[in-house]
Amino acid sequence: METVEIDQFDQRIIEIVRRNNLAPARSISAKVGLSESAVLRRLRRLRSSGVIVADVALIDPARLAPAITIHVLVELNQSGLRMEQAFAARLAERPEVIGAWNVTGRTDFLLMVSVPTIEAYQRFSDEVLASDENVRDFETLVTLREIVRRDPLRAGHPV
């Protein structure tokens, strides 16, 4: 994957659209000191080059039907590349999996699962985890409440 060169104007544009991807180019241009057409050109380039991957909406789960967020630590029997890729492919097919990471340490994968009920999680764990012969063990951590919402900007990175 090639890296993309971005300048201070791109960084400021990215900061703005990370917080509000519906910000009008006119508003962005006033904040960064470029013309509206220059901002639009830069946004097109940032999207076409893959720097901006998607324009998404962050949803407040409290405003929707009740859901339970569960973190699952998964340990595989065999953790070679082929086995990890096969497990990752199974996870990608499941809509309950809203995040998954291949991690180091005792655990091979960290999953974030969202389900409406504990019974729905039981079905998920039976179908995906307990039935997989390569899953040695898994630990379920039920989220009680969100303390800090995921926000990469908290880490202090400029983009």
Side-chain angles (χ1 to χ4, degrees), residues 2 18 51 54 101-102 107 113 122 144:
E2 287 186 38
R18 283 178 81 169
V51 172
W101 299 266
N102 188 206
T107 299
V113 177
Q122 182 66 55
L144 299 176

Side-chain angles (χ1 to χ4, degrees), residues 137-154:
D137 193 21
F138 62 94
E139 181 178 351
T140 300
L141 306 166
V142 177
T143 300
L144 299 176
R145 68 180 186 271
E146 183 177 64
I147 304 300
V148 177
R149 178 159 290 187
R150 182 190 179 280
D151 180 2
L153 293 177
R154 284 179 52 87

Side-chain angles (χ1 to χ4, degrees), residues 28-70:
I28 297 171
S29 69
K31 292 176 182 172
V32 301
L34 291 172
S35 70
E36 186 175 340
S37 60
V39 167
L40 289 169
R41 273 193 308 278
R42 286 171 177 267
L43 283 169
R44 274 193 300 278
R45 182 179 57 80
L46 291 167
R47 287 182 174 102
S48 68
S49 65
V51 172
I52 296 177
V53 178
D55 291 297
V56 299
L58 297 178
I59 307 300
D60 183 353
R63 304 237 180 229
L64 301 174
I68 302 167
T69 302
I70 298 172

Side-chain angles (χ1 to χ4, degrees), residues 4-136:
V4 176
E5 292 286 328
I6 61 173
D7 62 19
Q8 66 185 25
F9 291 110
D10 292 330
Q11 287 180 351
R12 292 177 63 204
I13 290 169
I14 290 169
E15 278 182 42
I16 293 166
V17 298
R18 283 178 81 169
R19 294 189 188 285
N20 178 7
N21 70 335
L22 297 178
R26 178 178 58 253
S27 167
I28 297 171
S29 69
K31 292 176 182 172
V32 301
L34 291 172
S35 70
E36 186 175 340
S37 60
V39 167
L40 289 169
R41 273 193 308 278
R42 286 171 177 267
L43 283 169
R44 274 193 300 278
R45 182 179 57 80
L46 291 167
R47 287 182 174 102
S48 68
S49 65
V51 172
I52 296 177
V53 178
D55 291 297
V56 299
L58 297 178
I59 307 300
D60 183 353
R63 304 237 180 229
L64 301 174
I68 302 167
T69 302
I70 298 172
H71 300 269
V72 186
L73 305 173
V74 180
E75 187 178 348
L76 301 179
N77 285 318
Q78 298 176 13
S79 59
L81 181 61
R82 194 175 71 232
M83 301 302 277
E84 290 174 355
Q85 287 174 337
F87 185 69
R90 286 189 71 202
L91 296 175
E93 294 172 356
R94 297 302 296 236
E96 303 94 334
V97 179
I98 60 172
W101 299 266
N102 188 206
V103 297
T104 63
R106 179 186 63 82
T107 299
D108 296 300
F109 284 87
L110 168 62
L111 314 181
M112 185 183 297
V113 177
S114 181
V115 290
T117 64
I118 289 296
E119 292 79 15
Y121 175 70
Q122 182 66 55
R123 282 190 301 278
F124 168 82
S125 65
D126 288 347
E127 294 170 7
V128 176
L129 304 172
S131 68
D132 189 326
E133 292 182 12
N134 194 34
V135 172
R136 175 182 303 150

